[in-house]
Amino acid sequence: MENNEILKKLNSVNWNFDFSIPYGAGMLRPFNCRKYYSYPATFIPEIPYTLIEILSQKGDVVVDPFGGIGTTFMQALSLERIPFTFDINVVASNVCTTLYRLLDPTIDHENIRDLLVSLPERYNSVVDYACQLSSCRAELSGWFEQETFNELAYLFVSYDHLEITLAKAVLELVLSSILTTLSSQNKGWAYIADNVKPKPDELRRKDVFKQYLMSTTSLFNDINSHLNILESVWEDYIDFYDETARTQRVFDNSILMATINNCSVDLVITSPPYPKMIDYVKSQRLSFCFYERDFHEYVQNEIGARYRRTRKDALESYTKSVKQHIDKMKLILKTGGYLCLVLPDYDDNAKEKNRRKAISEIVNYCFELGLNKIFELGRYIPSHKRTLSIQWATLVNERIFIFQKR
Ligand SMILES: C[S@@+](CC[C@H](N)C(=O)[O-])C[C@H]1O[C@@H](n2cnc3c(N)ncnc32)[C@H](O)[C@@H]1O
């Protein structure tokens, strides 16, 4: 498609998506990963969905080097593009892998759902499940009221005994996602990142099984209806999925380590971590405990982490790392391919001066590399995204940049 036509389309989009799109019954629509896992600073799915529709064709390769829980990945797959995603945070990558596996049309979803939904029936409140936990999982007890924790412990023990790998993966996703809401620390991810446990008088009884059943059934209902739509809008979905599933597509490491061929990618869509704003890894502290994994090895590779904000070289090392990733993105893009970057748009005041400078250095770097900017747009970040990320992340605006490799 000619750039003029692309620009016309890009300009006709309401990028605030502050209206409800009238997707009729049976119509393909964006898949909202964050409905199943609350993760900081995720894309609203409409952004990658729209960019993919306008900037690529069926069968094109679409990559997100900072893919989080897979928002770009799931839109690309749904739109019949060939997706790859990278994120050093294993918790986020696992969410993406499980959602991806659930879109396999050949699996018996009903069987897995029934197995998972039946688990609470075998809970016995007089049994002390918490005492059966490893020391790593027992660490979690400080975040929950006692009975609440015993019910969770029952689900952890059930998880260990599950033999069907996909059922285990789904239970992992659901359990991991409800840990934050069931914990008595209800002030947001930053308190969890900072290991600020609730005080004893803040401990609240929560209904574990109600939350668990709601999350599990809504996940399966939505997956089933998305799958039905995929199968009805393209006849060969089953073959396409089978073909894509033969290659690893979700990576819990850096794209810098990947062996993607140069000039093989049609479209890169990504939102890199913003400077000194979020602790993606530490915010998943509860899930790492459940996984029985130490998060320190992941933290070391995390770009822009908030906990390093007071280091003198924090911004310098941030821009250096993001530039290295942009080098890689340019390398893997085909000539004529597009790079879409969603970047923070800080207020023009003295407090944000340095972060503004870091972001403009990154944009200028794209020009230095010879990338051709075809589109730029500022958008307001809806408040629900900000309230989930609480007081440290007060960002109100972001900018979408689209570059083309010449
Ligand atoms: C703004 S979030 C992206 C969220 C994603 N767009 C989504 O919808 O889920 C940035 C992501 O970059 C990841 N990240 C941080 N450092 C990284 C690195 N060195 N390599 C790959 N990913 C990294 C974080 O874990 C986080 O998930």
Side-chain angles (χ1 to χ4, degrees):
M1 204 187 308
E2 289 297 316
N3 267 356
N4 277 351
E5 218 172 305
I6 286 183
L7 277 179
K8 218 153 103 196
K9 284 194 177 177
L10 290 167
N11 281 316
S12 70
V13 174
N14 171 352
W15 290 96
N16 286 326
F17 300 105
D18 51 2
F19 58 98
S20 115
I21 301 174
Y23 292 110
M27 262 174 79
L28 190 60
R29 67 201 69 197
F31 185 88
N32 194 359
C33 300
R34 64 186 183 178
K35 184 172 169 200
Y36 315 104
Y37 198 91
S38 170
Y39 187 71
T42 46
F43 275 143
I44 59 163
E46 286 82 0
I47 291 183
Y49 188 92
T50 308
L51 290 170
I52 292 167
E53 272 195 313
I54 298 179
L55 297 170
S56 67
Q57 312 288 323
K58 286 187 180 175
D60 279 0
V61 176
V62 178
V63 174
D64 189 339
F66 300 105
I69 56 173
T71 317
T72 304
F73 184 97
M74 294 297 275
Q75 314 320 313
L77 186 83
S78 302
L79 289 163
E80 224 176 319
R81 275 57 167 181
I82 298 167
F84 286 97
T85 187
F86 298 82
D87 201 295
I88 49 116
N89 188 341
V90 68
V91 175
S93 303
N94 279 6
V95 171
C96 179
T97 304
T98 303
L99 293 174
Y100 175 37
R101 289 178 68 190
L102 280 171
L103 285 187
D104 180 347
T106 62
I107 58 173
D108 186 347
H109 292 84
E110 214 171 307
N111 188 27
I112 295 173
R113 188 203 54 207
D114 291 350
L115 171 68
L116 294 177
V117 163
S118 71
L119 287 180
E121 291 160 18
R122 290 186 288 283
Y123 174 72
N124 182 346
S125 61
V126 297
V127 177
D128 183 356
Y129 297 98
C131 78
Q132 301 175 32
L133 300 180
S134 64
S135 59
C136 196
R137 286 187 186 158
E139 270 285 299
L140 282 168
S141 67
W143 301 88
F144 303 89
E145 180 274 339
Q146 199 179 353
E147 222 175 311
T148 307
F149 189 60
N150 201 44
E151 289 176 2
L152 264 179
Y154 164 75
L155 290 174
F156 294 157
V157 173
S158 310
Y159 169 83
D160 288 337
H161 289 109
L162 275 182
E163 280 169 4
I164 302 172
T165 57
L166 184 55
K168 206 169 165 112
V170 177
L171 180 54
E172 180 184 276
L173 188 158
V174 173
L175 260 177
S176 192
S177 89
I178 61 179
L179 282 177
T180 315
T181 41
L182 292 173
S183 107
S184 294
Q185 180 50 282
N186 59 6
K187 294 177 193 149
W189 64 260
Y191 286 83
I192 292 174
D194 288 350
N195 207 9
V196 181
K197 290 188 180 146
K199 300 191 179 79
D201 67 340
E202 290 172 340
L203 295 175
R204 296 276 177 276
R205 175 83 175 105
K206 305 267 179 100
D207 193 334
V208 174
F209 296 131
K210 185 174 170 197
Q211 181 79 52
Y212 165 76
L213 289 172
M214 265 171 41
S215 301
T216 309
T217 44
S218 113
L219 172 62
F220 277 98
N221 287 345
D222 294 351
I223 287 283
N224 276 335
S225 79
H226 196 69
L227 254 179
N228 285 339
I229 293 172
L230 289 177
E231 287 180 298
S232 70
V233 292
W234 24 305
E235 275 169 27
D236 54 348
Y237 176 70
I238 192 162
D239 300 331
F240 177 80
Y241 188 93
D242 181 53
E243 186 63 36
T244 23
R246 287 180 198 186
T247 306
Q248 186 180 355
R249 309 207 163 270
V250 184
F251 295 83
D252 62 1
N253 54 30
S254 163
I255 195 170
L256 301 182
M257 311 291 169
T259 50
I260 300 189
N261 289 339
N262 292 350
C263 305
S264 64
V265 171
D266 299 279
L267 175 61
V268 174
I269 300 178
T270 202
S271 171
Y274 296 172
K276 307 199 289 185
M277 285 201 73
I278 291 176
D279 292 313
Y280 289 97
V281 173
K282 288 187 172 191
S283 72
Q284 306 305 307
R285 177 187 299 273
L286 305 183
S287 297
F288 274 95
C289 273
F290 161 48
Y291 278 29
E292 301 178 299
R293 281 171 99 152
D294 181 1
F295 60 64
H296 291 95
E297 58 177 294
Y298 298 95
V299 164
Q300 282 163 23
N301 298 323
E302 184 175 345
I303 296 172
R306 180 184 67 101
Y307 81 97
R308 288 198 291 261
R309 65 194 176 283
T310 52
R311 295 203 192 157
K312 268 201 177 133
D313 67 344
L315 280 179
E316 202 184 312
S317 96
Y318 169 80
T319 42
K320 189 175 164 203
S321 305
V322 176
K323 283 179 184 177
Q324 277 172 346
H325 282 76
I326 291 176
D327 285 337
K328 179 79 177 184
M329 296 179 213
K330 185 190 168 196
L331 217 58
I332 60 174
L333 268 178
K334 291 177 183 168
T335 303
Y338 296 98
L339 163 62
C340 307
L341 291 177
V342 180
L343 294 170
D345 190 1
Y346 294 109
D347 290 344
D348 191 4
N349 58 30
K351 190 173 154 244
E352 298 297 6
K353 193 176 107 204
N354 292 335
R355 289 204 283 198
R356 275 185 80 83
K357 209 169 132 213
I359 297 303
S360 64
E361 201 179 315
I362 287 166
V363 175
N364 286 336
Y365 188 65
C366 294
F367 292 122
E368 281 167 36
L369 288 180
L371 293 164
N372 180 27
K373 189 181 80 180
I374 63 153
F375 184 76
E376 177 181 346
L377 173 121
R379 72 180 288 278
Y380 171 72
I381 303 173
S383 59
H384 65 268
K385 185 168 165 184
R386 280 183 281 127
T387 48
L388 276 178
S389 324
I390 80 157
Q391 69 208 49
W392 280 279
T394 51
L395 191 68
V396 180
N397 296 299
E398 61 191 4
R399 293 193 88 70
I400 302 174
F401 293 89
I402 303 179
F403 294 93
Q404 188 174 29
K405 181 169 164 178
R406 289 190 265 227

Coordinates of all heavy atoms in Angstrom, one line a residue, residues 101-146:
R101 N -1.4 -20.7 23.8 CA -1.7 -22.2 23.8 C -3.2 -22.4 23.8 O -3.7 -23.3 23.2 CB -1.0 -22.9 24.9 CG 0.5 -23.0 24.7 CD 1.2 -23.7 25.9 NE 0.8 -25.1 26.0 CZ 1.1 -25.8 27.1 NH1 1.8 -25.3 28.1 NH2 0.8 -27.1 27.1
L102 N -3.9 -21.5 24.5 CA -5.3 -21.7 24.6 C -6.0 -21.4 23.3 O -7.2 -21.8 23.1 CB -5.9 -20.8 25.7 CG -5.8 -21.3 27.1 CD1 -6.1 -20.2 28.1 CD2 -6.6 -22.5 27.4
L103 N -5.4 -20.7 22.4 CA -6.0 -20.5 21.1 C -5.7 -21.6 20.1 O -6.1 -21.5 18.9 CB -5.5 -19.1 20.5 CG -6.1 -17.9 21.1 CD1 -5.6 -16.6 20.4 CD2 -7.6 -17.9 21.2
D104 N -5.2 -22.7 20.6 CA -5.1 -23.9 19.8 C -6.4 -24.5 19.6 O -7.1 -24.9 20.6 CB -4.1 -24.9 20.5 CG -3.9 -26.2 19.7 OD1 -4.7 -26.4 18.7 OD2 -3.0 -26.9 20.1
P105 N -7.0 -24.5 18.3 CA -8.3 -25.0 18.1 C -8.5 -26.5 18.3 O -9.6 -27.0 18.4 CB -8.6 -24.6 16.7 CG -7.3 -24.5 16.0 CD -6.3 -24.2 17.1
T106 N -7.4 -27.2 18.5 CA -7.5 -28.7 18.5 C -7.6 -29.2 20.0 O -7.8 -30.4 20.2 CB -6.3 -29.4 17.8 OG1 -5.2 -29.1 18.5 CG2 -6.2 -29.0 16.4
I107 N -7.5 -28.3 20.9 CA -7.5 -28.9 22.3 C -8.9 -29.0 22.9 O -9.8 -28.3 22.4 CB -6.6 -28.0 23.3 CG1 -7.0 -26.6 23.3 CG2 -5.1 -28.2 23.0 CD1 -6.3 -25.8 24.3
D108 N -9.0 -29.8 23.9 CA -10.3 -30.0 24.5 C -10.5 -29.0 25.6 O -10.2 -29.3 26.8 CB -10.4 -31.5 25.0 CG -11.8 -31.8 25.5 OD1 -12.6 -30.8 25.7 OD2 -12.1 -33.0 25.7
H109 N -11.0 -27.8 25.3 CA -11.1 -26.7 26.3 C -12.0 -27.1 27.4 O -11.8 -26.8 28.6 CB -11.6 -25.4 25.6 CG -10.6 -24.8 24.7 ND1 -10.4 -25.2 23.4 CD2 -9.6 -23.9 24.9 CE1 -9.5 -24.5 22.8 NE2 -9.0 -23.7 23.7
E110 N -13.1 -27.8 27.0 CA -14.1 -28.1 28.0 C -13.6 -29.0 29.1 O -13.8 -28.8 30.3 CB -15.3 -28.8 27.3 CG -16.6 -28.5 27.9 CD -17.7 -29.0 27.1 OE1 -17.7 -28.7 25.9 OE2 -18.5 -29.8 27.6
N111 N -12.8 -30.0 28.7 CA -12.2 -30.9 29.6 C -11.3 -30.2 30.6 O -11.3 -30.4 31.8 CB -11.4 -31.9 28.8 CG -10.9 -33.1 29.6 OD1 -11.5 -33.4 30.7 ND2 -9.8 -33.7 29.2
I112 N -10.4 -29.3 30.1 CA -9.5 -28.6 31.0 C -10.2 -27.7 31.9 O -9.9 -27.6 33.1 CB -8.5 -27.8 30.1 CG1 -7.6 -28.8 29.3 CG2 -7.6 -26.9 31.0 CD1 -6.7 -28.2 28.3
R113 N -11.2 -27.0 31.4 CA -12.0 -26.1 32.2 C -12.7 -26.8 33.3 O -12.6 -26.5 34.5 CB -13.1 -25.3 31.4 CG -13.8 -24.2 32.2 CD -15.1 -23.9 31.6 NE -15.9 -25.1 31.5 CZ -16.9 -25.2 30.6 NH1 -17.1 -24.3 29.7 NH2 -17.6 -26.3 30.5
D114 N -13.3 -28.0 33.0 CA -14.1 -28.8 34.0 C -13.1 -29.2 35.1 O -13.4 -29.2 36.3 CB -14.8 -29.9 33.4 CG -15.9 -29.5 32.5 OD1 -16.3 -28.3 32.5 OD2 -16.5 -30.3 31.7
L115 N -11.9 -29.7 34.7 CA -11.0 -30.1 35.6 C -10.6 -29.0 36.6 O -10.6 -29.2 37.8 CB -9.7 -30.6 34.9 CG -8.5 -31.0 35.7 CD1 -8.8 -32.2 36.6 CD2 -7.3 -31.2 34.8
L116 N -10.3 -27.8 36.1 CA -9.9 -26.7 36.9 C -11.1 -26.2 37.8 O -10.9 -25.9 39.0 CB -9.4 -25.6 36.1 CG -8.1 -25.9 35.3 CD1 -7.6 -24.7 34.4 CD2 -7.0 -26.2 36.3
V117 N -12.3 -26.2 37.2 CA -13.4 -25.7 38.0 C -13.8 -26.6 39.1 O -14.3 -26.2 40.2 CB -14.6 -25.4 37.0 CG1 -15.9 -25.3 37.7 CG2 -14.3 -24.2 36.2
S118 N -13.4 -27.9 39.0 CA -13.8 -28.9 40.0 C -12.8 -28.9 41.2 O -13.1 -29.4 42.3 CB -13.9 -30.3 39.4 OG -12.6 -30.7 39.2
L119 N -11.7 -28.2 41.1 CA -10.7 -28.3 42.1 C -11.2 -27.8 43.5 O -11.0 -28.5 44.5 CB -9.5 -27.4 41.8 CG -8.5 -28.0 40.7 CD1 -7.4 -27.1 40.4 CD2 -8.0 -29.4 41.1
P120 N -11.9 -26.7 43.6 CA -12.4 -26.2 44.9 C -13.3 -27.2 45.7 O -13.3 -27.2 46.9 CB -13.1 -24.9 44.7 CG -12.6 -24.4 43.4 CD -12.2 -25.7 42.6
E121 N -13.9 -28.1 44.9 CA -14.9 -29.1 45.6 C -14.1 -30.0 46.5 O -14.7 -30.5 47.5 CB -15.5 -29.9 44.5 CG -16.5 -29.2 43.6 CD -16.8 -29.9 42.3 OE1 -16.6 -31.1 42.2 OE2 -17.3 -29.2 41.4
R122 N -12.8 -30.2 46.3 CA -12.1 -31.1 47.1 C -11.3 -30.5 48.3 O -10.6 -31.1 49.0 CB -11.2 -32.0 46.3 CG -11.9 -33.0 45.4 CD -11.0 -33.9 44.6 NE -10.3 -33.2 43.6 CZ -10.8 -32.9 42.4 NH1 -12.1 -33.2 42.1 NH2 -10.1 -32.3 41.4
Y123 N -11.6 -29.2 48.5 CA -10.9 -28.5 49.6 C -11.5 -28.9 50.9 O -12.7 -29.0 51.0 CB -11.1 -26.9 49.4 CG -10.6 -26.1 50.5 CD1 -9.2 -26.0 50.8 CD2 -11.5 -25.5 51.4 CE1 -8.8 -25.2 51.8 CE2 -11.0 -24.8 52.5 CZ -9.6 -24.6 52.7 OH -9.2 -23.9 53.7
N124 N -10.7 -29.2 51.9 CA -11.2 -29.5 53.2 C -10.6 -28.5 54.2 O -9.4 -28.4 54.4 CB -10.6 -30.9 53.5 CG -11.1 -31.5 54.8 OD1 -11.6 -30.7 55.7 ND2 -10.9 -32.8 55.1
S125 N -11.5 -27.7 54.8 CA -11.1 -26.6 55.6 C -10.3 -27.0 56.9 O -9.7 -26.1 57.5 CB -12.2 -25.7 55.9 OG -13.2 -26.4 56.6
V126 N -10.4 -28.3 57.3 CA -9.7 -28.6 58.5 C -8.3 -29.0 58.2 O -7.4 -29.2 59.1 CB -10.4 -29.8 59.3 CG1 -11.8 -29.3 59.8 CG2 -10.5 -31.1 58.5
V127 N -7.9 -29.2 56.9 CA -6.6 -29.6 56.6 C -5.7 -28.3 56.5 O -6.1 -27.3 56.0 CB -6.5 -30.3 55.2 CG1 -5.1 -30.6 54.8 CG2 -7.4 -31.6 55.3
D128 N -4.5 -28.5 57.1 CA -3.5 -27.3 57.0 C -2.7 -27.5 55.8 O -1.7 -28.2 55.8 CB -2.7 -27.3 58.3 CG -1.7 -26.1 58.3 OD1 -1.7 -25.4 57.4 OD2 -1.0 -26.0 59.3
Y129 N -3.1 -26.9 54.7 CA -2.4 -27.0 53.4 C -1.1 -26.1 53.5 O -0.1 -26.4 52.8 CB -3.3 -26.6 52.2 CG -4.5 -27.5 52.0 CD1 -5.7 -27.1 52.5 CD2 -4.3 -28.7 51.4 CE1 -6.8 -27.9 52.4 CE2 -5.4 -29.5 51.2 CZ -6.7 -29.1 51.7 OH -7.8 -30.0 51.5
A130 N -1.3 -25.0 54.2 CA -0.2 -24.0 54.2 C 1.1 -24.7 54.7 O 2.2 -24.4 54.3 CB -0.5 -22.9 55.1
C131 N 1.0 -25.7 55.6 CA 2.2 -26.3 56.2 C 2.9 -27.3 55.2 O 4.0 -27.7 55.4 CB 1.9 -27.0 57.5 SG 1.1 -28.6 57.3
Q132 N 2.2 -27.5 54.1 CA 2.8 -28.4 53.0 C 3.6 -27.6 52.0 O 4.1 -28.2 51.1 CB 1.7 -29.1 52.3 CG 0.8 -30.0 53.2 CD -0.4 -30.6 52.4 OE1 -0.3 -30.9 51.2 NE2 -1.5 -30.8 53.1
L133 N 3.7 -26.3 52.2 CA 4.3 -25.5 51.1 C 5.8 -25.4 51.3 O 6.3 -25.5 52.5 CB 3.7 -24.1 51.2 CG 2.2 -23.9 50.9 CD1 1.8 -22.5 51.0 CD2 1.9 -24.5 49.6
S134 N 6.5 -25.2 50.2 CA 8.0 -25.0 50.3 C 8.2 -23.6 51.0 O 7.3 -22.8 51.1 CB 8.5 -24.8 48.9 OG 7.9 -23.7 48.2
S135 N 9.5 -23.4 51.4 CA 9.7 -22.2 52.2 C 9.5 -21.0 51.3 O 9.0 -19.9 51.8 CB 11.2 -22.2 52.7 OG 12.0 -22.3 51.6
C136 N 9.7 -21.1 50.0 CA 9.5 -20.0 49.1 C 8.1 -19.6 49.1 O 7.7 -18.4 49.2 CB 10.0 -20.4 47.7 SG 10.3 -19.1 46.6
R137 N 7.2 -20.6 48.9 CA 5.7 -20.2 48.9 C 5.2 -19.8 50.2 O 4.3 -19.0 50.3 CB 5.0 -21.4 48.3 CG 5.2 -21.6 46.8 CD 4.3 -22.7 46.3 NE 4.6 -22.9 44.9 CZ 4.3 -24.1 44.3 NH1 3.7 -25.1 44.9 NH2 4.5 -24.2 43.0
A138 N 5.8 -20.4 51.3 CA 5.3 -20.1 52.6 C 5.6 -18.6 52.9 O 4.9 -17.9 53.7 CB 6.0 -20.9 53.7
E139 N 6.6 -18.0 52.2 CA 6.9 -16.6 52.3 C 5.7 -15.7 52.0 O 5.6 -14.6 52.5 CB 8.0 -16.2 51.3 CG 9.4 -16.3 51.7 CD 9.7 -15.2 52.7 OE1 9.7 -14.1 52.2 OE2 10.1 -15.4 53.8
L140 N 4.8 -16.3 51.2 CA 3.7 -15.5 50.8 C 2.7 -15.2 51.9 O 1.8 -14.4 51.8 CB 2.9 -16.2 49.6 CG 3.6 -16.2 48.2 CD1 2.9 -17.2 47.3 CD2 3.4 -14.8 47.7
S141 N 2.8 -16.0 53.0 CA 1.7 -15.9 54.0 C 1.5 -14.5 54.6 O 0.4 -14.1 54.9 CB 2.0 -16.9 55.1 OG 3.1 -16.5 55.8
G142 N 2.6 -13.7 54.6 CA 2.5 -12.4 55.2 C 1.6 -11.5 54.4 O 1.2 -10.4 54.9
W143 N 1.2 -11.9 53.2 CA 0.4 -11.0 52.4 C -1.1 -11.3 52.5 O -1.9 -10.5 52.0 CB 0.8 -11.1 50.9 CG 2.2 -10.8 50.6 CD1 3.3 -11.6 50.7 CD2 2.8 -9.5 50.3 NE1 4.5 -10.9 50.4 CE2 4.2 -9.6 50.1 CE3 2.2 -8.2 50.0 CZ2 5.0 -8.6 49.8 CZ3 3.0 -7.2 49.7 CH2 4.4 -7.3 49.6
F144 N -1.4 -12.4 53.2 CA -2.8 -12.8 53.1 C -3.3 -13.1 54.5 O -2.6 -13.5 55.4 CB -2.9 -14.1 52.3 CG -2.5 -14.0 50.9 CD1 -1.1 -14.2 50.6 CD2 -3.3 -13.6 49.9 CE1 -0.7 -14.1 49.3 CE2 -2.9 -13.4 48.6 CZ -1.5 -13.7 48.3
E145 N -4.6 -13.0 54.7 CA -5.3 -13.4 56.0 C -5.2 -15.0 56.0 O -5.1 -15.6 55.0 CB -6.7 -12.9 55.9 CG -7.6 -13.2 57.0 CD -8.3 -14.6 56.9 OE1 -8.4 -15.1 55.8 OE2 -8.7 -15.1 57.9
Q146 N -5.2 -15.5 57.2 CA -4.8 -16.9 57.4 C -5.6 -17.9 56.6 O -5.1 -18.8 56.0 CB -4.8 -17.2 58.9 CG -4.1 -18.5 59.3 CD -4.2 -18.7 60.8 OE1 -4.7 -17.9 61.6 NE2 -3.6 -19.9 61.2

